């Protein structure tokens, strides 16, 4: 076996030569022809150096496919490097180092596998858990197994506590930008040579959104389910391969942290259908899990932000996967969630709680999936009790955002109640903001299906299984999503400016006092259980949505008034109005979040989110 230090150095050196050659071409300087040739070859096997003699080399050995990252429970020190193959490999491992100091150490990878019930093929996934890293540090790594060409990636660890800022992005419902089946013409129509078409609800925009994430370059990406719709495709293994081929260009440099959607449920793959998802990802361990639901729910901490990923098929009434699995955890996920939320709010190190999940509690799209009563029954009371700040979800293929909601109407659908309807300040001390971001690239948009006036279809149960499809039809109840008597809007409401200033902390309402700062922004100062609360800046980012979480020492910045398309409370045009960009002096972007038409990029000003930072307890 080639010495790992030499392999690491040669792989990094080769990529540096390629990067330099490409930069020279772009500048019109020219480049070494051999380096340009290697860089131009789209096949990943040209990267790196062999880790075994030529006679056992890459022609006979599976490639390092689908290279991607996940954070461990502590994102300051734990990262998992993963890839997959269609055959067993020898000595899968990751070589870890950095740019100034070179090679540090080798971390062996553990291998998991599953057999796809549709094709009978076995997929092997290799996961190297790299621990003991330093916070806010850039690392290089090389993934390799014996006989394969090495693949290079990079990762930045999270800041510790409130020591530094970061950005994350989020969307769901992507699919792949590839072709997977022959077109079947309508009855009576004959085509001699039918073209290939996509078979997983994907579109070319599924490639654009990945490029959009890389333009933002977040610390991590939250993927709110329905990753590639493999359960709809003719070849599920190929669809997963295409998904990773598209997204590895981003996911090898920043963790893509998922929550499972209904289309991750694949008939015959594991006891409850999630074996493929559970094999490709190695996610933080969570209490209460058994082998069948390992990795389906988890949490991790980045700075002062706790992220909680949930598996909503466990509580949803809708029959949306290949098999109906409602209630599979028998309450274990709910018990874990309450313990997680309680611990987050009892500690002194967490300021923000963000939940990533697939199906939605609110939606104003007609003739689409709709909201699910199961989420309102099981999750929302816990979000209320422990003050979840933000929920990012998919399932509905458009963008919309709720007012802060807490509590519910005494009606059949448990309609969420808004606790703050102002549009200049989004105050998460008053309730949880739900952000629907299901436009990650799917070819089946719902951004033209909004109710006018606003309404919401809620799934309150299911009927008997259809004798042909075996699917349980949803039972819907429609609720008003506009103004209630007395002018209380349930969701939406006019949004005069695409501006989001998030109040992040729990203060006692009776002790709040208002003031205006010198640029006219309305600020509040609270005194909570543990003393005075300081004011901090946050910056909004989108691809389709995200948050810039500030670190210590980042002061308030004055920002220009934002520009962009007309807005209403739920933004039915599908455009997320949260801008991106590292500083007010640099241009920023507004990325379209809905419709499956890819990121519509437009120049925009950047503006600050005013937010508290403190140690929060359970809200009163």
């Amino acid at each position: 076996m080639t010495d790992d230090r030499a392999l690491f150095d040669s792989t990094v050196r080769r990529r540096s030569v390629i990067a330099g050659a490409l930069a020279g071409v772009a500048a019109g300087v020219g480049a070494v022809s051999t380096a340009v040739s290697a860089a131009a070859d789209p096949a990943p096997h040209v990267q790196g150096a062999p880790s075994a003699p030529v006679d056992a080399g890459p022609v006979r050995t599976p490639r390092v496919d689908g290279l991607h990252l996940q954070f461990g429970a502590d994102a300051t020190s734990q990262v998992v490097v993963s890839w997959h193959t269609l055959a067993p490999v020898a000595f899968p491992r990751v070589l870890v180092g950095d740019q100034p100091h070179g090679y540090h150490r080798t971390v062996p990878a553990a291998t998991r596998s599953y057999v796809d019930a549709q094709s009978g093929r076995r997929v092997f996934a290799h996961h190297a858990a790299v621990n003991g890293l330093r916070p806010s540090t850039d690392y290089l790594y090389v993934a390799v197994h014996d006989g394969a060409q090495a693949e290079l990636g990079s990762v930045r660890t999270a800041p510790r506590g409130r020591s530094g800022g970061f950005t994350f992005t989020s969307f769901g419902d992507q699919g792949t930008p590839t072709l997977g089946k022959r077109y079947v013409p309508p009855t009576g129509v004959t085509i001699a040579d039918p073209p290939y078409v996509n078979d997983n609800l994907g579109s070319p925009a599924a490639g654009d959104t990945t490029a959009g994430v890389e333009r933002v370059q977040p610390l991590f990406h939250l993927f709110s389910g329905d990753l590639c719709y493999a359960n709809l495709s003719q070849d599920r293994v190929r669809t997963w391969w295409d998904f990773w081929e598209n997204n590895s260009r981003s996911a090898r440099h920043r963790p893509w942290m998922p929550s499972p959607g209904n289309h991750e449920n694949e008939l015959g793959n594991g006891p409850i259908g999630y074996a493929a998802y559970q094999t490709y990802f190695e996610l933080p361990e969570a209490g209460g899990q058994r082998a069948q639901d390992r990795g389906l729910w988890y949490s991790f901490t980045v700075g002062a932000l706790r992220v909680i990923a949930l598996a909503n098929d466990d509580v949803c009434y809708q029959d949306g996967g290949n098999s109906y699995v409602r209630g599979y955890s028998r309450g274990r996920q709910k018990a874990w969630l309450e313990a997680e939320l309680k611990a987050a709010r009892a500690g002194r190190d967490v300021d923000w709680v963000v939940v990533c999940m697939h199906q939605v509690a609110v939606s104003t799209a007609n003739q689409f999936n709709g909201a699910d009563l199961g989420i309102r029954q099981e999750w929302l009371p816990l979000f209320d009790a422990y003050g979840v700040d933000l929920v990012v979800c998919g399932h509905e293929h458009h963008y919309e955002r709720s007012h802060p909601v807490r509590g519910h109407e005494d009606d059949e659908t448990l309609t969420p109640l808004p606790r703050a309807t102002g549009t200049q300040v989004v105050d998460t001390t008053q309730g949880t903001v739900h952000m629907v971001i299901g436009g990650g690239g799917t070819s089946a948009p719902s951004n033209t299906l909004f109710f006018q006036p606003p309404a919401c279809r809620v799934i309150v149960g299911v009927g008997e299984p259809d004798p042909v499809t075996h699917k349980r039809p949803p039972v819907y109840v429609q609720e008003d999503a506009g103004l209630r008597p007395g002018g209380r809007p349930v969701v939406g409401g006019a949004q005069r400016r695409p501006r989001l200033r998030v109040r992040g902390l729990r203060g006692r309402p009776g002790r709040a006092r208002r003031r205006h700062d010198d640029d006219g922004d309305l600020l509040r100062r609270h005194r909570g259980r543990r003393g005075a609360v300081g004011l901090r800046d946050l910056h909004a980012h989108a691809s389709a949505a995200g948050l810039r979480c500030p670190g210590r020492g980042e002061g308030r910045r004055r920002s220009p008034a934002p520009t962009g398309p007309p807005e209403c409370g739920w933004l039915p045009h599908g455009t997320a109005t949260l801008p991106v960009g590292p500083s007010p002096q640099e241009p920023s972007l507004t990325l379209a979040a809905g419709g499956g038409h890819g990121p519509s990029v437009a120049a925009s000003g950047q503006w600050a989110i005013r937010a508290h930072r403190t140690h929060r307890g359970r809200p009163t």
Side-chain angles (χ1 to χ4, degrees), residues 518-595:
D518 55 5
D519 63 359
D521 289 329
L522 178 65
L523 303 179
R524 294 182 183 178
R525 199 178 292 273
H526 290 264
R527 288 191 177 273
R529 295 182 179 183
R530 298 188 176 97
V533 176
L535 291 169
R536 299 288 298 176
D537 281 355
L538 292 179
H539 292 282
H541 295 257
S543 175
L547 289 177
R548 167 83 165 99
C549 297
R552 180 174 293 135
E554 298 182 29
R556 292 200 300 271
R557 298 184 177 100
R558 299 182 185 182
S559 305
T563 60
E567 299 84 32
C568 68
W570 284 94
L571 304 179
H573 46 73
T575 300
T577 58
L578 306 183
V580 300
S583 76
Q585 289 73 39
E586 298 183 41
S588 59
L589 308 174
T590 299
L591 303 183

Side-chain angles (χ1 to χ4, degrees), residues 53-63 87-89 145-148:
V54 174
D55 59 1
V59 174
R60 299 190 182 99
T61 305
R63 298 189 315 168
V89 298
H145 45 261
D146 283 357

